[in-house]
Amino acid sequence: MHSIVVLNAKGGCGKTTIATTLACYFAGKGYGTALMDYDPQSSSGSWLAMRTPDQPKIRSIDAIRPKVGLTRSWQLYSGSETDVVIMDTPAGVAGGQLSDVFNRADTILIPVMTTIIDLQAAEKFLEELMRMARHRLHGKRIAIIANRVRMRTSVYKAIVGLADKLGIPLIATLRDTQNYSIAMASGMGICEMKPGATSKDMKQWQPIFEWLMKDIPVKTQTEVTQQAEASNWTAGNNRLAAS
């Protein structure tokens, strides 16, 4: 199982949009996918609740609200059929919570908006994260995504310079478009929307997918079919047990 954390202490930088897009992508490719929501606002959970039964299944994990009778480990257990877990984190993540999600991550994606306030906040957070990572990387990969980008601004150039300074790759730039708002409001990812409307966005996402897939085994069609059959069998048994 591979864990991807979408992380930045600054709110409003697009963490949930990126987390849900990733979940849609992996689920659509046949990976057993879970979306773990650390945000008290439960934006990811609300988005999942809007998805229809005919869309690729994404398991919802509430990482915030304790469940009676469950240990913390069991509450966060994603299941034996899960290949990829996407973790959506809240604004202001720090201290023990930051350490927890850092330790659980195989890959960390850091979205940064191209405003001076976001840049200043990102620089402080990234320096803190790199101090934490210095002796605890153990094969973890960290990358920056520039979000809602205006390419010719001085702030964008400063983000590129910050990535170079810290030695963190800037793997993609995402444009500012209503497609993400439409997707979030309808329980979809842009990879599930009409290709004619999202071709520019999917082109911008391709470097992210390629960078992530360097650490995630490609699933064959046989594996996808077998996993779908196992999932359907489990769901059928659960329905019988509940009846």
Side-chain angles (χ1 to χ4, degrees):
M1 186 182 71
H2 192 90
S3 298
I4 302 169
V5 173
V6 186
L7 186 64
N8 191 335
K10 176 73 171 62
C13 61
K15 292 187 291 290
T16 297
T17 299
I18 289 172
T20 53
T21 302
L22 289 173
C24 282
Y25 173 78
F26 284 108
K29 293 294 184 181
Y31 290 84
T33 305
L35 184 55
M36 186 178 293
D37 195 348
Y38 278 85
D39 192 339
Q41 294 182 1
S42 297
S43 299
S44 293
S46 298
W47 173 84
L48 277 171
M50 290 187 286
R51 289 178 65 77
T52 60
D54 61 307
Q55 292 173 302
K57 182 179 177 181
I58 300 169
R59 180 176 180 182
S60 177
I61 302 176
D62 186 343
I64 289 295
R65 295 158 189 81
K67 294 184 179 180
V68 177
L70 289 182
T71 64
R72 178 69 173 167
S73 295
W74 188 251
Q75 181 180 347
L76 299 184
Y77 178 59
S78 59
S80 60
E81 297 175 356
T82 300
D83 302 303
V84 180
V85 176
I86 315 296
M87 302 183 198
D88 184 17
T89 59
V93 62
Q97 189 178 51
L98 177 58
S99 182
D100 178 43
V101 295
F102 179 87
N103 290 335
R104 292 179 181 277
D106 296 306
T107 299
I108 299 172
L109 295 177
I110 304 162
V112 180
M113 293 266 287
T114 51
T115 71
I116 189 62
I117 294 174
D118 283 84
L119 175 62
Q120 291 170 348
E123 185 167 10
K124 292 178 182 177
F125 176 72
L126 285 166
E127 288 173 350
E128 178 186 358
L129 184 66
M130 293 311 291
R131 283 194 296 270
M132 178 183 291
R134 190 166 293 122
H135 303 295
R136 298 164 61 184
L137 275 177
H138 302 300
K140 298 181 193 292
R141 299 169 74 211
I142 302 175
I144 296 171
I145 298 171
N147 195 23
R148 300 179 194 172
V149 167
R150 294 179 181 178
M151 296 292 291
R152 294 181 176 85
T153 62
S154 60
V155 176
Y156 176 72
K157 293 176 182 177
I159 291 174
V160 174
L162 178 61
D164 289 341
K165 171 186 170 184
L166 296 175
I168 304 174
L170 174 61
I171 58 172
T173 57
L174 304 179
R175 67 179 183 144
D176 190 3
T177 168
Q178 287 297 310
N179 284 342
Y180 294 109
S181 298
I182 294 169
M184 285 299 300
S186 53
M188 294 192 296
I190 58 165
C191 47
E192 296 172 323
M193 296 170 67
K194 293 181 179 179
T198 60
S199 58
K200 290 182 179 179
D201 305 306
M202 291 306 297
K203 185 176 181 180
Q204 291 179 336
W205 271 88
Q206 198 57 41
I208 301 174
F209 299 144
E210 291 174 358
W211 188 82
L212 290 172
M213 291 305 295
K214 291 177 182 178
D215 275 355
I216 301 173
V218 176
K219 290 185 81 70
T220 65
Q221 187 57 49
T222 299
E223 289 173 324
V224 171
T225 302
Q226 289 174 341
Q227 183 152 357
E229 290 173 348
S231 180
N232 291 337
W233 183 85
T234 300
N237 279 350
N238 289 341
R239 285 193 294 268
L240 287 173
S243 62

